[in-house]
C-alpha cells in the first residue's frame, strides 16, 4: 500500500512463501521475516508477532501521542 492508500503489487504478482526457511527474524514492530538461501527469496509476515515498539503511522509524524 502506498502513502495515499492505494494497493500496490509487483508486476508479476506475489510468490508463495518458502516452505523451508533458512533464517527467521522478528523485528521490533512485530513483523516476522524469513529467508530461503536455496532460492534467494525473502518473505515477511506483517504483524504476526507482538510489537515491542509502536510502528510509525503515516500522517502522525511529528505529533505528540
Amino acid at each position: 500500500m502506498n502513502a495515499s492508500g492505494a494497493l500496490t503489487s509487483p508486476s508479476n504478482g506475489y510468490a508463495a512463501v518458502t516452505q523451508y526457511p533458512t533464517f527467521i527474524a522478528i523485528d521490533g514492530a512485530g513483523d516476522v521475516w524469513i529467508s530461503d538461501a536455496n532460492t534467494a527469496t525473502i518473505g515477511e509476515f506483517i504483524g504476526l508477532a507482538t510489537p515491542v515498539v509502536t510502528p510509525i503511522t503515516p500522517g502522525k509524524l511529528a505529533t505528540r501521542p
Side-chain angles (χ1 to χ4, degrees):
M1 187 175 291
N2 64 18
S4 66
L7 294 176
T8 58
S9 66
S11 59
N12 60 350
Y14 291 101
V17 177
T18 179
Q19 293 181 355
Y20 305 102
T22 305
F23 299 102
I24 299 174
I26 302 172
D27 66 16
D31 301 334
V32 177
W33 295 82
I34 61 169
S35 67
D36 185 343
N38 294 327
T39 60
T41 57
I42 296 175
E44 177 186 17
F45 294 100
I46 299 172
L48 190 63
T50 303
V52 294
V53 295
T54 303
I56 297 173
T57 305
K60 296 290 185 180
L61 300 176
T63 59
R64 301 189 107 191

